[in-house]
Amino acid sequence: MGHVQPPPFVTMVRADNPGPMTLDGTRSYVLRAPGAREVVVVDPGPDDEAHLGALASAGAVALVLVTHRHADHTAGSARLHELTAAPVRALDPAHCHGGGRPLRGGETIEAAGVGVEVLATPGHTADSVSFVVSAPGEAPVVLTGDTVLGRGTTVISAPDGSLTDYLASLDLLEARGEGVLGLPAHGPAVEDLAVVVRAYRAHRLERLEQVRAATLALGVPSRAAVTDAVVDRVTAAVYADVDPAVLPAARQSVRAQLVHLAHGDVTGSA
Ligand SMILES: [Zn+2]
């Protein structure tokens, strides 16, 4: 696959915080239509002075947007507001700063010469959003935060993540992502977002089948409470060869799948 570059109205600035969950580091994005004086920053990233300084000096920062609450995206929010005076807007009011109003799914923001449509895409966390960014004369792109990553798969985070919500969010991103460039907050750009979303869904459904089979093989009743002991037994069965560094994530993923399966049973759809 070729190396995909963002269009001229998007600049990626990667923080120096690599790790098993952040891949090569958090990718902040600076949005600015050609000729515009102001810029919009998406995801301040960690509270890292060099990174925040680079964002603050990318242009006159008019607005800061946040994809979701996780610290590798928001720990730098207060400091970036301090450096730029720009309001910080997130879906969760607790992550807004400087008078920034909470984001609403479906709203479109015009700033820095670009249009930013807010898509509510819960699942990774309850407050996860994606941004469809368009500029005059250019094909739109979708900033996916942690909902779709540049490689690997997304974790359904405790306590508010939901696999049921996540699968619905994948449907929305597939509908909006046909032939569209996806720009994740971790890992490289994805050339066709809908193609990657379909692969994510297939992977999720395959894992769900493995979890369902494991619960049957282990004799776990389908409506059993999702206890730590059940999660541990199913995780050991499904993720036998997993790197210990990502075992907590695997355990969390299994928990989310067991909750999803139990929910399906309760509503009679599974
Ligand atoms: Zn996250």
Side-chain angles (χ1 to χ4, degrees), residues 68 70 72-73 124-125 146 157 186:
H68 68 294
H70 280 154
D72 57 320
H73 302 256
H124 170 65
T125 60
D146 284 6
S157 291
H186 306 283

Side-chain angles (χ1 to χ4, degrees), residues 2 10 13 18-19 22 26 97 101 111 143 178 183 186 224-226 229 237 249 253 257 267:
V10 184
V13 182
T22 59
T26 302
H97 297 267
R101 285 174 295 111
L143 274 56
E178 212 68 65
L183 296 171
H186 306 283
V226 182
S253 174
Q257 292 180 83
T267 59

Side-chain angles (χ1 to χ4, degrees), residues 123-135:
H124 170 65
T125 60
D127 72 336
S128 287
V129 296
S130 299
F131 298 116
V132 182
V133 184
S134 49

Side-chain angles (χ1 to χ4, degrees), residues 63-156:
L63 176 65
V64 179
L65 302 174
V66 164
T67 59
H68 68 294
R69 65 179 168 77
H70 280 154
D72 57 320
H73 302 256
T74 58
S77 290
R79 178 63 178 145
L80 187 59
H81 169 64
E82 213 171 79
L83 291 170
T84 64
V88 180
R89 299 188 62 193
L91 195 78
D92 181 348
H95 288 282
C96 294
H97 297 267
R101 285 174 295 111
L103 295 171
R104 284 175 293 107
E107 78 170 301
T108 297
I109 299 160
E110 305 283 346
V114 300
V116 181
E117 182 186 351
V118 181
L119 299 183
T121 50
H124 170 65
T125 60
D127 72 336
S128 287
V129 296
S130 299
F131 298 116
V132 182
V133 184
S134 49
E138 300 274 356
V141 299
V142 181
L143 274 56
T144 57
D146 284 6
T147 299
V148 172
L149 302 179
R151 56 188 155 83
T153 58
T154 297
V155 172
I156 307 299

Side-chain angles (χ1 to χ4, degrees), residues 128-252:
S128 287
V129 296
S130 299
F131 298 116
V132 182
V133 184
S134 49
E138 300 274 356
V141 299
V142 181
L143 274 56
T144 57
D146 284 6
T147 299
V148 172
L149 302 179
R151 56 188 155 83
T153 58
T154 297
V155 172
I156 307 299
S157 291
D160 57 317
S162 156
L163 182 56
T164 308
D165 287 350
Y166 187 73
L167 291 170
S169 292
L170 289 184
D171 291 346
L172 176 60
L173 288 176
E174 182 184 19
R176 299 301 300 272
E178 212 68 65
V180 172
L181 184 71
L183 296 171
H186 306 283
V190 300
E191 199 163 358
D192 187 330
L193 180 58
V195 169
V196 173
V197 164
R198 285 192 279 273
Y200 266 50
R201 182 189 293 116
H203 170 81
R204 286 288 169 189
L205 296 180
E206 193 180 310
R207 280 288 190 210
L208 266 178
E209 266 323 300
Q210 291 171 348
V211 167
R212 197 198 305 267
T215 58
L216 288 175
L218 293 168
V220 176
S222 61
R223 290 194 194 188
V226 182
T227 62
D228 289 347
V230 168
V231 170
D232 285 347
R233 288 170 68 204
V234 174
T235 304
V238 175
Y239 291 88
D241 304 321
V242 77
D243 178 348
V246 296
L247 192 60
R251 199 176 282 125
Q252 174 52 28

